[in-house]
Amino acid sequence: MKMWILGVTALTSLGIAACSSNSSSPPAGNSASDSGSGSSSGASGSSSGGSGSSSGGSSSSSGGSSSSGGVTDASGEASACSEGTIYTRLGGHAGIRGAVNAIVAAELADPDIVTYFFFQTTTPMPAEHPTADQIEECFTDLVGAAVGGPGESYPPDGGVSDEAGTFQCNPSMQSIHAPLLISGGTFDKFITIAGGVLTTAGVCPDDITTLAGALVSTKTEVVTPSLFDAGYQAFPGDAAATIGASDGAVEQ
Amino acid sequence: MARSSSKPIVKRLAIAAGAMVFTTAGIGALHMPFARSLLMRLGGCPMAGARVTPKEMDNGRRMALEVERGKTAAPARPAVGFVLDRTSPADVHAWAAREHVSCDDRHPGLVVCTDVKPGAVGLPDTEGTIDELALGFNQHGALANETTTRGHLTPQGAEQAAHVIVDSLSARLGPADKSVGSFGAEQLRGPTAASISTVSYRYTDYVAEVSAINLPHSGLSVREHYMSASD
């Protein structure tokens, strides 16, 4: 009898856990839309733009830098756009991290987009999910590797770490985003916000073209196929399972 | 005598406990992956719809403000059609009914309206139809965050809408803290990165920004964002 009750309890717990992990936020960060927040629980103040972040993957040292990071200074003074590589023009890893932090902050400020970041905006944040700091560092590594930064790789060996522990960045764009049922309109809104941040930060136009091209090229992986032409939408919540069941986009 | 009277009570307790266990097991089983489609047909998990609440939205907004907050108070805090820190969801729904605008409560604390004619929010027709008007409310039920998005615009239409918005902000707030791009049709018809124009205002109690971009699939869009930073 006791074993039977234990079994039922375990089943219930598993079911509820499945429910709560069904839709929510992504398991890893590969695009800033995955990024959670700036510093949930102040986690190293990552998105605060200030403070040096403590994260730092195995391959990277992270570095909070300011919100304008190494991309440009706060006055909008652009660095010379013809010097060095795109990686150095972006300010290396620390500069990219600063830009990522600023993008994440801007995305969190959007009332639609923020609905995709339930766990990162919940206090206290559930332990089994990546912190905002970890997600931002994953995205920084992704961008660093995409622009050919020396020593950059994605996913980084050994994952990314902060005071909450170590997180292994997910290499699959599709599997990360599928449970979120992201529409084409929502993806475009994300790009619009990110593009505005990079432009305001004074990133060289050619470098924005490169970064925007890289981001836009992920649309087919990030957006749920049946929602490609759909407009803007907040995170559909549990409806995700229903929609996903029809096109196999959601892991059941 | 006492023993015989306790039997029905024990029996009822056992039945109640059994029913609770059975119900709990049933709910748990419905949440298992293999039964998720059945759960959805039954209307979904009632708890899941409550994921993002005004509390989480407030947390996200405050996290953003750690980066975006300015250093001086705003001379005014304009928003589209409504009043930051004052308008309630009930006000919005009453307005929607009055103006025949379609609005949905997408999440607790988030009302999204679509195809909003400029006249419905007191704007000139030159600003064009708002494809999406998103209104985020804080834990006290007051408007804290607002965005508008106009999409699939022609370069001329985007230029016209953006200039009316930017000029209006400039008249009330003065020069923007940051301004990049001209919002001109010639620039807006360019490729994605080259097309971006944006202005932003940052205060201790208010944030506003307007941006325009030309994206490969959806074309030209103009986005406005107004956010309270008073808390």
Side-chain angles (χ1 to χ4, degrees):
Chain A
M1 179 67 174
K2 285 180 180 174
M3 290 303 291
W4 182 75
I5 292 173
L6 275 175
V8 170
T9 305
L11 183 66
T12 304
S13 301
L14 277 172
I16 292 172
C19 178
S20 53
S21 63
N22 159 40
S23 34
S24 65
S25 73
N30 59 352
S31 83
S33 68
D34 272 343
S35 315
S37 55
S39 70
S40 61
S41 72
S44 70
S46 56
S47 87
S48 64
S51 75
S53 162
S54 67
S55 73
S58 57
S59 66
S60 48
S61 60
S62 158
S65 74
S66 71
S67 62
S68 52
V71 174
T72 179
D73 66 25
S75 66
E77 182 182 336
S79 56
C81 291
S82 58
E83 295 177 1
T85 65
I86 181 173
Y87 185 74
T88 57
R89 285 194 297 274
L90 290 171
H93 191 90
I96 294 171
R97 177 60 190 261
V100 168
N101 291 352
I103 290 171
V104 169
E107 303 289 350
L108 282 171
D110 185 278
D112 274 344
I113 302 281
V114 72
T115 61
Y116 289 85
F117 300 107
F118 175 78
F119 288 120
Q120 286 72 33
T121 53
T122 297
T123 51
M125 210 194 98
E128 67 271 24
H129 296 278
T131 65
D133 190 39
Q134 290 167 342
I135 291 174
E136 287 170 337
E137 187 57 23
C138 284
F139 187 42
T140 300
D141 288 339
L142 180 73
V143 174
V147 298
E152 300 278 6
S153 65
Y154 189 85
D157 295 336
V160 296
S161 301
D162 64 4
E163 64 268 31
T166 299
F167 177 72
Q168 301 295 330
C169 304
N170 189 328
S172 169
M173 279 281 190
Q174 199 161 20
S175 69
I176 294 167
H177 293 94
L180 297 176
L181 294 181
I182 294 171
S183 70
T186 299
F187 180 90
D188 289 345
K189 180 182 259 193
F190 171 82
I191 297 294
T192 299
I193 294 169
V197 169
L198 293 172
T199 301
T200 302
V203 175
C204 298
D206 286 349
D207 294 342
I208 293 181
T209 299
T210 302
L211 294 171
L215 281 174
V216 170
S217 71
T218 66
K219 186 170 183 176
T220 53
E221 295 174 84
V222 171
V223 172
T224 297
S226 61
L227 299 174
F228 200 85
D229 295 322
Y232 320 105
Q233 62 176 39
F235 174 57
D238 210 44
T242 307
I243 300 170
S246 66
D247 63 9
V250 174
E251 295 173 6
Q252 294 287 309
Chain B
M1 188 69 176
R3 289 178 68 183
S4 63
S5 66
S6 67
K7 277 186 178 177
I9 296 173
V10 172
K11 191 176 179 182
R12 283 180 196 144
L13 284 173
I15 291 171
M20 285 177 65
V21 168
F22 182 77
T23 303
T24 306
I27 292 171
L30 279 172
H31 285 83
M32 296 300 288
F34 60 81
R36 188 73 53 74
S37 58
L38 175 60
L39 176 65
M40 290 305 108
R41 280 198 290 273
L42 294 174
C45 173
M47 299 304 292
R51 283 194 163 286
V52 176
T53 69
K55 181 181 178 186
E56 283 76 43
M57 294 180 72
D58 271 356
N59 287 342
R61 188 170 51 84
R62 290 195 187 101
M63 291 170 184
L65 287 171
E66 289 177 18
V67 173
E68 299 191 341
R69 197 189 298 271
K71 292 184 170 63
T72 59
R77 302 197 309 154
V80 174
F82 302 102
V83 183
L84 290 173
D85 292 325
R86 192 177 304 170
T87 299
S88 69
D91 293 335
V92 173
H93 286 299
W95 160 82
R98 201 166 53 243
E99 298 290 342
H100 306 291
V101 174
S102 172
C103 297
D104 295 321
D105 290 294
R106 297 279 173 89
H107 285 271
L110 175 64
V111 179
V112 177
C113 307
T114 52
D115 295 325
V116 181
K117 301 297 180 197
V121 282
L123 299 174
D125 288 344
T126 46
E127 288 205 18
T129 297
I130 298 169
D131 290 333
E132 185 210 62
L133 171 66
L135 302 154
F137 296 86
N138 64 23
Q139 295 176 75
H140 307 295
L143 181 65
N145 210 347
E146 180 182 38
T147 61
T148 72
T149 311
R150 298 167 176 82
H152 305 286
L153 300 168
T154 63
Q156 289 74 22
E159 176 184 7
Q160 187 175 37
H163 275 154
V164 173
I165 295 165
V166 169
D167 291 348
S168 172
L169 279 177
S170 177
R172 298 192 65 182
L173 300 173
D177 292 325
K178 294 201 174 163
S179 178
V180 181
S182 66
F183 290 100
E186 200 56 42
Q187 179 181 1
L188 294 174
R189 67 162 51 94
T192 300
S195 70
I196 300 171
S197 290
T198 179
V199 297
S200 59
Y201 292 85
R202 301 280 187 264
Y203 298 101
T204 54
D205 54 352
Y206 174 72
V207 167
E209 56 209 356
V210 182
S211 56
I213 190 171
N214 188 7
L215 288 168
H217 296 290
S218 54
L220 266 168
S221 66
V222 175
R223 174 180 180 266
E224 297 169 88
H225 180 217
Y226 307 100
M227 183 164 70
S228 170
S230 61
D231 53 347

